[in-house]
Amino acid sequence: MATGIKDKVAILGMGCAQFGERWDTDSSALMREAFDEALADAGIERSQIEAGWYGSALDNVNVGNSPIPASTALRLDGIPFTRVENMCATGTEALRGAAYAVASGAVDIAVAIGAEKLKDTGYGGLPIPFKGTFNDMWMPMGSSPAGFAQLAAGYRAKHGMSKEDLKRGMAHVSWKSHQNGVSSPKAHLRKAVPMETIINAPMISEPLGLFDCCGVSDGAACAIVTTPEIARALGKKELVTVKAIQLAISSGIESQMNTWDGSHVRNTRSAATRAYKEAGITDPRTQLNLIEVHDCFSITELVTMEDLFISKEGKAVNDILDGFYDADGQVPCQIDGGLKCFGHPIGATGLRMAYEVYSQLLGRTGERQISSPSMGLTHNLGGVPYQGIACISILGLA
């Protein structure tokens, strides 16, 4: 019977580039920025890395397909390198590949790097996914705001919630991220926004206003992983280990059958259930100290609090307005500002989230540091609520 990878992999070092409108640089330089920090943090030579996983989602508008761009940028010659793409879960998928390789014993030290440079593409949002017959058939002319606005409608209908109450909960989600982003030096946006501005912002897709939507950005993030034994032999005293990484893909059954009511994301619940089992978590509301979730839209973060089984069904708005997920709450969410302040360079996002949890666990985050965390979770959601990809990682002190 499979036992998972809990505590079989340690993070030896991590790095994160400055996110933002990086007109002054290219994707290769972004990758090196993150990699150089991770390599220095790990305290090893680049020649000690035995395999790599590179996450990049939009090769048609970015650095091109194959792992060669990453291998070239990082000067990692002659080792196995794999490019992965799993929509918005791409960064965590790269970490999953590197962690599984170490856990299996195939290699001792592996690198996961994710990067995306989107501000040069000319798109205000993500490029329209016209690639192959699948996207043309299943997501014809759809937009991300419209897809997630339907999640808000389904949530309201199921729980009999007024438009005003749901909007207040969503607005608090965005307000909280902007408050947190001020203390996050590598975030794209670092400006607090008044609640009234968020609530009264121009509408993008009812009920999602301008401040309910994250933007795109340029960025890269990197992790170097090994076994706990090797990490200790290299002099690491305080270890962050991987407690679980789980991935769940929707077959699209949500939109084909009447078994889904549109109020939640099924595959987030599947991935969370498996991740908690792998990590040995029985009560995420009390056992998790911080979370970084995929706040592509404020309604996504709100619903995810229930899909992660932290808030009870229909009660996420209450928890959000009570400050349960604020920086000084019981389970701080997006303590670094989240996608709302970092933007969403797709291939980098999952690893950027892991970088924040890793840094918090080691007490390295300065004025936004929370008190004595021992366990944190990251969550990515790719695609749309009715057909997508959920990836969850849980990191903790050994």
Side-chain angles (χ1 to χ4, degrees), residues 86-90 92-93 96 245-250 254 265-275 294 304 307-308 378-385 387-393:
N86 237 339
M87 290 184 153
C88 302
T90 293
T92 309
E93 180 68 303
R96 193 171 77 105
I245 303 181
Q246 289 289 339
L247 182 69
I249 315 296
S250 165
E254 296 95 326
V265 178
R266 288 176 71 252
N267 50 327
T268 292
R269 297 186 178 193
S270 299
T273 300
R274 294 205 299 266
H294 204 87
T304 298
D307 291 341
L308 293 175
T378 75
H379 156 267
N380 294 135
L381 180 64
V384 285
Q387 188 168 41
I389 297 166
C391 197
I392 289 173
S393 75

Side-chain angles (χ1 to χ4, degrees), residues 146-163:
F148 284 88
Q150 292 178 54
L151 183 64
Y155 186 85
R156 272 191 60 211
K158 180 173 183 178
H159 300 296
M161 190 171 292
S162 70
K163 181 189 295 186

Side-chain angles (χ1 to χ4, degrees), residues 73-130:
L74 307 188
R75 304 290 188 267
L76 290 173
D77 180 55
I79 64 170
F81 223 110
T82 304
R83 176 177 176 267
V84 296
E85 187 274 315
N86 237 339
M87 290 184 153
C88 302
T90 293
T92 309
E93 180 68 303
L95 177 62
R96 193 171 77 105
Y100 276 29
V102 167
S104 74
V107 299
D108 285 334
I109 300 177
V111 63
I113 185 145
E116 213 88 54
K117 196 163 193 320
L118 296 176
K119 300 306 293 186
D120 294 339
T121 63
Y123 292 94
L126 299 180
I128 297 172
F130 284 139

